[in-house]
C-alpha cells in the first residue's frame, strides 16, 4: 500500500479529524472530499453521493420513526408498568433484580432498537433500583446494564439491521425475524450466568408476586407488550412496508401513551420529538458520511481486491466466517458499530456471497458480533457510558463484565456454526434463501 496515495491521505484525514473530536460522519465526508481533490475529480461528487444515498432510500425513514416510538414508550408510566411485569415473571429467581434487568432489555428491545438508548433509558433506572439499599454493588449493576443493553439491537426492530439491509439489499423483514432466536439466546446465556453468580455470591431474591396479582399486572403492561406484535404482524402480513410499519409503531406508541396510559403531556411530547430528532440527525450524518466514503472505496476497487485476496487463501465458508468474526471483534473494540456496518460489511459481502453464505445469517451474525464490541475493552462505548452513569472506575466494571463476555462469545460461536438458529424463523415465514 502506498502511504502517500490519495486514499491513504484520506484515511489519515479521517483519523486526524476523529481524534480532534469531529463526529465520524463529518470526518468521513472531509476525508472523501480530500480524496476527490487529490484525484482531480469533481468534488461535487461528494454532495451527489450524499444526496443520492440518503434521499433515494425509503427504508431510511424507518430509523427516525423507530427512535420516536422508543422515546415515547420510555415515558415513566409505561416504563414502570413493564418493569413490574418483568419483576412478576423472574424476580423470584436467584438474582431477582439482575434477572429483571435482562428480561426488561428483551422487552424494551421491541421499542428501542439501539443499545445506547436502552442503556441510557431503562438501564439507568435499573442501575438505581439494583443499588438501592446496597443489594448489588454499583460495578455489578453497571456491568449488567451494559451487557443486557446489547440484546436490544439483535431483536426487532433493530436499527443496526436496518443499516445492514440498506447496504446489502437484504429483506429487512427476514432480518428482523432472523434476529429473534439469537437475541433470545443472548438473553438466556446472560440469565444463566446471573443464576451461577447469584448462587456463588448470595444475591437477593425479590418477594414473589402473588398469583392473584398477575392478571392485573399483565393487563396493565399488555398494550405496551403488543407493540412488537403489531410491528411484526404488519411486516409479515405484507400489509405494510418496513417504513410504514415503523410509522404505525410510532403512532401506536403515541396513542397508548396519551389516550390509554395518559402518561404524556404536551411538554413530554415536545422533548420526545426533540430527543428523537437529535438522535436521528446523528445517525443520518453517519450514514451520509458512509455513503460518500463508500464511493471512495468503490473507486479504489477495494471490495474486488479484497475478494480476490481472500479467494487466494482458499477459505471455506466456515473459515471465512471465523475470520470475519475475529476482524469484527477487534474493530468493534475500537470503532462505533454503525461505522463498521456501513463501511466494513459492504467490503466483505461480495466474498460472503461468492462462498454461498446466506445474507440473512451473515447480517445477523455480524450485527451480534458488533454489538458485543460495545462492551469489549478497551473502547466499548457502553462501558464508558455506564462508568459515567454509575460513577464507578472502568477497572471495576471490566471485572464484572468479563464472565458475561465469555458466555456472549459462546452464543456468537453457536450462531456462527449453526445458521439454522438465524434462519429457522425466516424459513417458516417463507424465506427461501
Amino acid at each position: 500500500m502506498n502511504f502517500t496515495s490519495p486514499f491513504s491521505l484520506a484515511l489519515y484525514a479521517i483519523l486526524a479529524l476523529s481524534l480532534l473530536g469531529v463526529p465520524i460522519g463529518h470526518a468521513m465526508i472531509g476525508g472523501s472530499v480530500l480524496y476527490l481533490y487529490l484525484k482531480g475529480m469533481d468534488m461535487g461528487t461528494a454532495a451527489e453521493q450524499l444526496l443520492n444515498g440518503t434521499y433515494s432510500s425509503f427504508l431510511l425513514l424507518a430509523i427516525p420513526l423507530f427512535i420516536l416510538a422508543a422515546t415515547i414508550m420510555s415515558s415513566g408510566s409505561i416504563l414502570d408498568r413493564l418493569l413490574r411485569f418483568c419483576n412478576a415473571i423472574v424476580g423470584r429467581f436467584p438474582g431477582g433484580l439482575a434477572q429483571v434487568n435482562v428480561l426488561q432489555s428483551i422487552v424494551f428491545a421491541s421499542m428501542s432498537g439501539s443499545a445506547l438508548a436502552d442503556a441510557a433509558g431503562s438501564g439507568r433506572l435499573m442501575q438505581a433500583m439494583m443499588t438501592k439499599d446496597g443489594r448489588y454493588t454499583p460495578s455489578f449493576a453497571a456491568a449488567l446494564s451494559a451487557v443486557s443493553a446489547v440484546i436490544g439491537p439483535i431483536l426487532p426492530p433493530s436499527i443496526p439491521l436496518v443499516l445492514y439491509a440498506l447496504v446489502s439489499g437484504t429483506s429487512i423483514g427476514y432480518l428482523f425475524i432472523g434476529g429473534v432466536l439469537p437475541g433470545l439466546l443472548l438473553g438466556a446465556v446472560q440469565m444463566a450466568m446471573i443464576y451461577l453468580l447469584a448462587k456463588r455470591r448470595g444475591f437477593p431474591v425479590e418477594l414473589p408476586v402473588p398469583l392473584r396479582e398477575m392478571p392485573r399486572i399483565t393487563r396493565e403492561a399488555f398494550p405496551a407488550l403488543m407493540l412488537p406484535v403489531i410491528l411484526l404482524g404488519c411486516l409479515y402480513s405484507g400489509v405494510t412496508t418496513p417504513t410504514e410499519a415503523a410509522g404505525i409503531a410510532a403512532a401506536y406508541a403515541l396513542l397508548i401513551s396519551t389516550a390509554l396510559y395518559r402518561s404524556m403531556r404536551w411538554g413530554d411530547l415536545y422533548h420526545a420529538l426533540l430527543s428523537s430528532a437529535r438522535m436521528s440527525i446523528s445517525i443520518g450524518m453517519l450514514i451520509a458520511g458512509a455513503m460518500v466514503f463508500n464511493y471512495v472505496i468503490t473507486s479504489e476497487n477495494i471490495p474486488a481486491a479484497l475478494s480476490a485476496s481472500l479467494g487466494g487463501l482458499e477459505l471455506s465458508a466456515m473459515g471465512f466466517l471465523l475470520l470475519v468474526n475475529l476482524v469484527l471483534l477487534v474493530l468493534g473494540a475500537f470503532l462505533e458499530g454503525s461505522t463498521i456496518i456501513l463501511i466494513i460489511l459492504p467490503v466483505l459481502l461480495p466474498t460472503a456471497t461468492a462462498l454461498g453464505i446466506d445474507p440473512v445469517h451473515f447480517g445477523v451474525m455480524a450485527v451480534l458480533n458488533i454489538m458485543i464490541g460495545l462492551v469489549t475493552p478497551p473502547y466499548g462505548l457502553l462501558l464508558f457510558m455506564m462508568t459515567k452513569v454509575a460513577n464507578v472506575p472502568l477497572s471495576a466494571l471490566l471485572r464484572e463484565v468479563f464472565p458475561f463476555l465469555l458466555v456472549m462469545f459462546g452464543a456468537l460461536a453457536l450462531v456462527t456454526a449453526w445458521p439454522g438458529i438465524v434462519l429457522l424463523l425466516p424459513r417458516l415465514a417463507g424465506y427461501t434463501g
Side-chain angles (χ1 to χ4, degrees):
M1 179 179 177
N2 184 352
F3 292 99
T4 59
S5 67
F7 182 70
S8 297
L9 293 174
L11 290 179
Y12 301 152
I14 293 172
L15 179 61
L17 290 171
S18 299
L19 292 175
L20 290 171
V22 176
I24 184 65
H26 295 76
M28 285 191 288
I29 292 173
S32 301
V33 170
L34 176 63
Y35 171 86
L36 295 172
Y37 172 75
L38 295 174
K39 292 284 286 188
M41 301 169 68
D42 181 7
M43 288 188 288
T45 304
E48 179 185 351
Q49 292 298 316
L50 188 155
L51 293 174
N52 286 340
T54 52
Y55 286 99
S56 63
S57 177
F58 187 58
L59 179 62
L60 283 179
L61 282 175
I63 294 176
L65 291 170
F66 282 139
I67 292 172
L68 177 60
T71 306
I72 293 172
M73 293 293 280
S74 297
S75 65
S77 177
I78 299 176
L79 198 62
D80 291 342
R81 285 175 167 87
L82 289 172
L83 287 177
R84 282 199 297 270
F85 174 78
C86 293
N87 182 60
I89 300 296
V90 298
R92 66 191 68 203
F93 299 132
L97 266 184
Q99 303 282 10
V100 170
N101 196 332
V102 176
L103 183 59
Q104 66 84 21
S105 287
I106 294 173
V107 172
F108 278 95
S110 64
M111 299 163 205
S112 70
S114 165
L116 297 176
D118 190 4
S122 59
R124 187 187 298 266
L125 179 59
M126 287 304 306
Q127 173 75 23
M129 291 175 62
M130 290 180 67
T131 55
K132 186 179 179 181
D133 301 326
R135 285 190 280 186
Y136 296 86
T137 63
S139 57
F140 177 80
L144 183 59
S145 294
V147 298
S148 67
V150 170
I151 300 171
I154 313 301
L155 294 166
S158 163
I159 292 174
L161 286 176
V162 172
L163 296 178
Y164 174 77
L166 175 69
V167 299
S168 68
T170 310
S171 164
I172 186 61
Y174 290 132
L175 284 169
F176 275 3
I177 199 171
V180 170
L181 291 183
L184 295 177
L185 173 64
L186 203 60
V189 298
Q190 289 182 9
M191 294 177 86
M193 177 54 67
I194 291 169
Y195 181 88
L196 295 176
L197 293 175
K199 290 293 187 181
R200 186 185 309 166
R201 301 187 190 180
F203 288 157
V205 175
E206 301 304 299
L207 292 174
V209 175
L211 192 60
R212 65 179 181 275
E213 294 290 320
M214 286 298 296
R216 178 185 61 80
I217 292 173
T218 304
R219 185 173 63 252
E220 290 178 350
F222 183 76
L225 294 171
M226 283 298 293
L227 179 62
V229 177
I230 292 172
L231 174 65
L232 295 178
C234 289
L235 280 174
Y236 301 116
S237 66
V239 174
T240 67
T241 65
T243 302
E244 290 165 347
I248 290 172
Y252 177 77
L254 182 60
L255 177 66
I256 66 171
S257 296
T258 54
L260 183 61
Y261 289 140
R262 301 182 185 276
S263 61
M264 179 162 286
R265 303 176 187 274
W266 286 110
D268 299 324
L269 179 59
Y270 169 76
H271 288 296
L273 291 170
L274 190 61
S275 174
S276 301
R278 286 172 175 165
M279 191 179 300
S280 299
I281 290 170
S282 175
I283 295 174
M285 285 306 303
L286 181 60
I287 294 172
M291 292 295 177
V292 179
F293 190 62
N294 277 336
Y295 176 80
V296 172
I297 290 175
T298 304
S299 298
E300 287 288 305
N301 207 27
I302 289 175
L306 180 63
S307 183
S309 299
L310 291 173
L313 297 177
E314 298 183 353
L315 291 172
S316 65
M318 184 54 62
F320 174 73
L321 289 178
L322 291 175
L323 178 62
V324 168
N325 271 320
L326 180 61
V327 170
L328 293 183
L329 284 171
V330 172
L331 291 176
F334 295 93
L335 296 178
E336 199 272 332
S338 298
T339 306
I340 300 174
I341 295 170
L342 293 167
I343 300 298
I344 306 299
L345 292 190
V347 176
L348 298 172
L349 272 169
T351 304
T353 302
L355 291 172
I357 297 169
D358 185 90
V360 171
H361 174 232
F362 183 76
V364 172
M365 181 208 76
V367 167
L368 174 59
N369 186 313
I370 292 165
M371 292 305 104
I372 292 175
L374 292 173
V375 290
T376 303
Y379 295 112
L381 291 179
L382 282 174
L383 299 179
F384 288 105
M385 174 182 284
M386 292 313 299
T387 56
K388 294 177 182 178
V389 170
N391 194 25
V392 296
L394 182 60
S395 57
L397 187 65
L398 290 178
R399 283 195 297 271
E400 299 289 6
V401 163
F402 183 72
F404 291 100
L405 275 177
L406 292 179
V407 296
M408 291 162 73
F409 287 148
L412 175 61
L414 290 174
V415 169
T416 302
W418 284 284
I421 297 176
V422 174
L423 299 177
L424 175 62
L425 294 182
R427 284 172 177 163
L428 290 176
Y431 179 62
T432 56

